Amino acid sequence: MVRITMILLCLLLAGAAAGRYQAEVSVRETRREIQELDRTKADELSQIQLLRAEIAYLENPDRLAKIAAKVTDLEPLSGGQMMTADQFVVAFGDGAAESGQLAGGDVILHALAMADMKTVE
């Protein structure tokens, strides 16, 4: 009877040792995975920081102004390029202008009537 008890206790001890070893291996693997994820996270955060700096550079108004000046020949409007309200109605109106004189409200109504009032979908 003592031998059977001793054998059972030895088996129980061996099972406990194997369980502890398995748990320790599992903890080591999990720690390695956490370290790898931390490294990956740090790399991704560094990449995000780099991309944000790149966006800030690309959206810099001074840089965009230099590119626009190089690529286009746009200049501020001069007084000669602008139309008065009466000239606008005569040029684009429906012929309602009488001798170039319109009431202020009529000019606005004509401009609104000629504007494209489609809604954006």
Short mmCIF file of all heavy atoms in Angstrom, two decimals, residues 1 4 6 13 15 27-28 35 44 49 52 56 59 62 78-79 106-108 113 115 119:
data_model
loop_
_atom_site.label_atom_id
_atom_site.label_comp_id
_atom_site.label_asym_id
_atom_site.label_seq_id
_atom_site.Cartn_x
_atom_site.Cartn_y
_atom_site.Cartn_z
N MET A 1 0.80 -1.19 0.00
CA MET A 1 0.00 0.00 0.00
C MET A 1 0.86 1.27 0.00
O MET A 1 0.52 2.24 -0.65
CB MET A 1 -0.90 -0.07 1.23
CG MET A 1 -1.95 0.93 1.27
SD MET A 1 -3.13 0.51 0.01
CE MET A 1 -4.37 1.57 0.40
N ILE A 4 2.25 1.88 -3.55
CA ILE A 4 1.29 2.46 -4.48
C ILE A 4 1.13 3.96 -4.19
O ILE A 4 1.11 4.78 -5.11
CB ILE A 4 -0.07 1.74 -4.38
CG1 ILE A 4 0.08 0.31 -4.84
CG2 ILE A 4 -1.13 2.45 -5.21
CD1 ILE A 4 -1.17 -0.52 -4.70
N MET A 6 3.36 5.88 -2.79
CA MET A 6 4.60 6.51 -3.18
C MET A 6 4.68 6.70 -4.70
O MET A 6 5.10 7.75 -5.19
CB MET A 6 5.79 5.67 -2.70
CG MET A 6 7.09 6.39 -2.80
SD MET A 6 7.08 7.86 -1.81
CE MET A 6 8.04 7.31 -0.45
N LEU A 13 3.99 14.46 -8.61
CA LEU A 13 5.10 15.41 -8.61
C LEU A 13 5.63 15.62 -10.03
O LEU A 13 5.91 16.75 -10.44
CB LEU A 13 6.21 14.89 -7.68
CG LEU A 13 7.43 15.80 -7.55
CD1 LEU A 13 7.04 17.14 -6.93
CD2 LEU A 13 8.51 15.13 -6.72
N GLY A 15 3.96 15.20 -12.81
CA GLY A 15 2.93 15.94 -13.55
C GLY A 15 2.97 17.42 -13.20
O GLY A 15 2.82 18.28 -14.08
N VAL A 27 4.94 31.32 -20.96
CA VAL A 27 5.17 32.71 -20.54
C VAL A 27 6.33 33.31 -21.33
O VAL A 27 6.27 34.46 -21.78
CB VAL A 27 5.44 32.77 -19.01
CG1 VAL A 27 6.00 34.11 -18.60
CG2 VAL A 27 4.16 32.48 -18.25
N ARG A 28 7.41 32.55 -21.54
CA ARG A 28 8.56 33.04 -22.32
C ARG A 28 8.14 33.37 -23.75
O ARG A 28 8.53 34.41 -24.30
CB ARG A 28 9.67 32.00 -22.33
CG ARG A 28 10.44 31.94 -21.06
CD ARG A 28 11.59 30.97 -21.19
NE ARG A 28 12.14 30.66 -19.88
CZ ARG A 28 12.73 29.53 -19.56
NH1 ARG A 28 12.88 28.58 -20.46
NH2 ARG A 28 13.19 29.35 -18.36
N GLN A 35 7.38 41.57 -26.89
CA GLN A 35 8.53 42.37 -27.29
C GLN A 35 8.52 42.64 -28.79
O GLN A 35 8.81 43.75 -29.24
CB GLN A 35 9.83 41.69 -26.88
CG GLN A 35 10.10 41.73 -25.39
CD GLN A 35 11.32 40.91 -25.00
OE1 GLN A 35 11.83 40.11 -25.79
NE2 GLN A 35 11.79 41.12 -23.78
N GLU A 44 6.07 51.39 -36.41
CA GLU A 44 4.88 52.00 -37.03
C GLU A 44 4.71 53.45 -36.57
O GLU A 44 4.39 54.32 -37.36
CB GLU A 44 3.63 51.19 -36.69
CG GLU A 44 3.57 49.82 -37.34
CD GLU A 44 3.52 49.87 -38.85
OE1 GLU A 44 2.89 50.79 -39.41
OE2 GLU A 44 4.13 48.99 -39.48
N GLN A 49 5.16 59.22 -37.73
CA GLN A 49 5.80 60.51 -37.49
C GLN A 49 6.48 61.01 -38.77
O GLN A 49 6.37 62.20 -39.12
CB GLN A 49 6.83 60.36 -36.38
CG GLN A 49 6.79 61.42 -35.35
CD GLN A 49 7.75 61.10 -34.20
OE1 GLN A 49 8.52 60.15 -34.25
NE2 GLN A 49 7.69 61.91 -33.18
N ARG A 52 3.80 62.20 -41.19
CA ARG A 52 3.24 63.50 -40.78
C ARG A 52 4.20 64.64 -41.12
O ARG A 52 3.78 65.71 -41.56
CB ARG A 52 2.93 63.48 -39.29
CG ARG A 52 1.68 62.72 -38.96
CD ARG A 52 1.31 62.82 -37.51
NE ARG A 52 0.07 62.11 -37.27
CZ ARG A 52 -0.28 61.61 -36.11
NH1 ARG A 52 0.50 61.77 -35.06
NH2 ARG A 52 -1.41 60.98 -35.96
N ALA A 56 3.44 67.68 -43.67
CA ALA A 56 3.64 69.08 -43.28
C ALA A 56 4.53 69.80 -44.29
O ALA A 56 4.28 70.95 -44.65
CB ALA A 56 4.25 69.16 -41.88
N GLU A 59 2.51 70.26 -47.64
CA GLU A 59 1.42 71.22 -47.55
C GLU A 59 1.88 72.62 -47.13
O GLU A 59 1.05 73.50 -46.91
CB GLU A 59 0.36 70.72 -46.56
CG GLU A 59 -0.39 69.51 -47.05
CD GLU A 59 -1.43 69.03 -46.07
OE1 GLU A 59 -1.39 69.45 -44.88
OE2 GLU A 59 -2.27 68.22 -46.47
N ASP A 62 4.36 78.21 -48.26
CA ASP A 62 5.46 78.86 -48.98
C ASP A 62 5.94 78.00 -50.13
O ASP A 62 6.18 78.48 -51.24
CB ASP A 62 6.62 79.16 -48.02
CG ASP A 62 6.24 80.17 -46.95
OD1 ASP A 62 5.34 81.00 -47.22
OD2 ASP A 62 6.84 80.13 -45.86
N SER A 78 -6.37 93.06 -61.86
CA SER A 78 -6.21 94.51 -61.94
C SER A 78 -7.59 95.12 -62.11
O SER A 78 -8.56 94.44 -62.43
CB SER A 78 -5.30 94.88 -63.12
OG SER A 78 -5.92 94.52 -64.33
N GLY A 79 -7.69 96.42 -61.91
CA GLY A 79 -8.98 97.09 -62.02
C GLY A 79 -9.58 96.97 -63.41
O GLY A 79 -10.80 96.89 -63.58
N ASP A 106 -32.00 94.61 -59.20
CA ASP A 106 -32.15 93.92 -60.47
C ASP A 106 -30.86 93.24 -60.90
O ASP A 106 -30.88 92.14 -61.46
CB ASP A 106 -32.61 94.89 -61.57
CG ASP A 106 -34.04 95.38 -61.36
OD1 ASP A 106 -34.77 94.69 -60.62
OD2 ASP A 106 -34.40 96.41 -61.93
N VAL A 107 -29.74 93.87 -60.67
CA VAL A 107 -28.46 93.30 -61.06
C VAL A 107 -28.22 91.99 -60.32
O VAL A 107 -27.83 90.99 -60.89
CB VAL A 107 -27.31 94.30 -60.78
CG1 VAL A 107 -25.96 93.65 -61.01
CG2 VAL A 107 -27.47 95.54 -61.64
N ILE A 108 -28.50 92.00 -59.03
CA ILE A 108 -28.31 90.80 -58.22
C ILE A 108 -29.26 89.71 -58.68
O ILE A 108 -28.88 88.55 -58.82
CB ILE A 108 -28.50 91.11 -56.73
CG1 ILE A 108 -27.37 92.04 -56.27
CG2 ILE A 108 -28.51 89.84 -55.90
CD1 ILE A 108 -27.54 92.56 -54.88
N ALA A 113 -30.08 84.62 -61.46
CA ALA A 113 -30.82 83.89 -62.50
C ALA A 113 -29.85 83.23 -63.48
O ALA A 113 -30.13 82.14 -63.98
CB ALA A 113 -31.76 84.84 -63.24
N ALA A 115 -26.73 82.30 -62.71
CA ALA A 115 -25.81 81.37 -62.02
C ALA A 115 -26.36 79.95 -62.11
O ALA A 115 -27.55 79.72 -62.19
CB ALA A 115 -25.67 81.79 -60.56
N THR A 119 -27.59 71.48 -57.39
CA THR A 119 -27.13 71.01 -56.09
C THR A 119 -26.10 69.92 -56.29
O THR A 119 -26.16 69.15 -57.24
CB THR A 119 -28.29 70.45 -55.24
OG1 THR A 119 -28.91 69.40 -55.97
CG2 THR A 119 -29.30 71.54 -54.93
#
